[in-house]
Each structure stands twice: as structure tokens, then as C-alpha cells.
Amino acid sequence: MSRWQEPQAIAELAREVTVVRRPNPFTALYHWRYEIGALLVVPYALFTLFQAVGPIWAAVVLFGVANWLFHWRSARGFIRDRLRSVVVQHRLRTGFARARVCTLDGKLPVILWTKPRGDEVEVTVFCPAGVGYERIEQRRALLAAACFATDVHVYRHHKRANVVHLSVCTARLRKDEDEDEVVFG
């Protein structure tokens, strides 16, 4: 090991033995915003519906809405894609912690936003000082495994150095019977 490589090796060792810090309460609330919203809105909406129309008509309305969502392909796809985005967010946070994509004092990158795009989920990540594009690019395979994805592509933000875009490819791998090659689809 040369004299110039020692600081990087020491920093890497320090990162490996550092305990990953828990997020502060506001960040934790932001991480669980969809689940907290569902826990607050769904019971209130059901209670209001039962109070407004009574239990029998409420059951009829709920059955009609569930049937309508089940048969409406666009709504079904929208719900599936949003649920997949939420799962990818949680899996990426776990992947960041386990792959040691953190600063030397244990701060993890913050996921700002996710949006589904076909078979991929686009994720915008804010990196604290000490974590950047190169660190996430090195850990792509571990992040893909954490997200149950086939691949993770990392892109730099066009204006900000501390913002990174990830494209998590969640397409299922299938194998054609006729050929021995793997096909995405």
C-alpha cells in the first residue's frame, strides 16, 4: 500500500466499523409518511362514511369502490406502482445501511422522492457531506439485491453534486424455453 492510499484505507475501515445513526424524529416521520397517512385517513374516512349513510349502504359503497378499482386497469396499475415505490424506498434505506453508504459518523443519504416509470422506479437521493455519486456507484450490486431488483443505475444530478438519481430496475427476469438467454419483461 502506498503512502497516498493510506488515508482512503483508514477512512474505509472507519466507515465499516461505524454504527449507522438512527434518523431524527422528523426524518423518521418523513420516511413513514405513506403508512402514517393511511393509518390516519382510512379509519377517519370509514367512520365518516358509516356515520353519513349507515352500515348497509357503507358496505355497498365499499364493495362498489373495491370492485371498480379491481376492474379499472389504470387504477390498479397506479396503486401497484405506488406500492412498489414505497417498498423500494424502505428497501433502499436498509440497503444504504447494510452496504455502508454512509458518512464516517454514520449519517445515511435521505430519499427525497420516488416515482414509478414503467418497470423502473426513479429515486432522488440527497447525499450528506462524505457520501457521493462514487460511493453509491460502487455499491450498486448490493443496493439492487436489497431492492429485489435486477439492476440499479446511478446518475449525477445536472446542477447539484449532493443530489443523485437512482433508477431501480424492478423488471422480472424470465427465461425463454426455446433459448437459454435471459429476457427482461
Side-chain angles (χ1 to χ4, degrees):
M1 179 180 305
S2 74
R3 193 169 133 184
W4 302 109
Q5 292 174 337
E6 281 183 19
Q8 288 86 7
I10 292 172
E12 188 63 32
L13 179 63
R15 188 176 281 123
E16 291 298 325
V17 297
T18 299
V19 176
V20 176
R21 291 189 348 197
R22 296 179 60 92
N24 66 39
F26 296 113
T27 307
L29 285 174
Y30 183 73
H31 290 172
W32 292 93
R33 64 191 179 277
Y34 295 113
E35 292 84 353
I36 292 170
L39 282 175
L40 295 176
V41 170
V42 170
Y44 178 74
L46 289 175
F47 178 76
T48 304
L49 179 66
F50 275 81
Q51 291 295 321
V53 297
I56 294 174
W57 282 107
V60 169
V61 167
L62 288 175
F63 178 75
V65 168
N67 193 21
W68 180 54
L69 288 176
F70 180 74
H71 289 294
W72 188 21
R73 183 180 297 239
S74 297
R76 208 172 49 230
F78 176 79
I79 291 170
R80 182 187 64 238
D81 290 343
R82 285 314 307 168
L83 289 175
R84 185 173 43 131
S85 295
V86 170
V87 168
V88 165
Q89 284 182 31
H90 290 301
R91 297 301 304 167
L92 259 179
R93 276 189 216 101
T94 302
F96 285 152
R98 299 297 183 256
R100 297 295 184 183
V101 179
C102 60
T103 62
L104 291 177
D105 62 344
K107 285 182 75 174
L108 293 173
V110 177
I111 297 173
L112 298 176
W113 193 252
T114 60
K115 61 182 168 186
R117 294 263 172 130
D119 286 337
E120 295 183 351
V121 177
E122 298 289 329
V123 182
T124 304
V125 177
F126 175 81
C127 298
V131 176
Y133 167 82
E134 293 81 13
R135 182 77 180 161
I136 296 174
E137 178 71 28
Q138 290 172 353
R139 305 294 191 182
R140 278 179 11 161
L142 292 172
L143 294 175
C147 294
F148 308 119
T150 55
D151 200 7
V152 173
H153 301 285
V154 184
Y155 305 102
R156 294 180 191 268
H157 190 270
H158 62 282
K159 289 183 180 177
R160 310 262 187 268
N162 61 341
V163 176
V164 176
H165 295 289
L166 304 176
S167 180
V168 181
C169 182
T170 58
R172 293 189 185 122
L173 287 174
R174 62 180 168 82
K175 197 168 191 172
D176 286 347
E177 291 84 20
D178 301 340
E179 303 172 11
D180 287 334
E181 66 184 44
V182 175
V183 178
F184 291 100

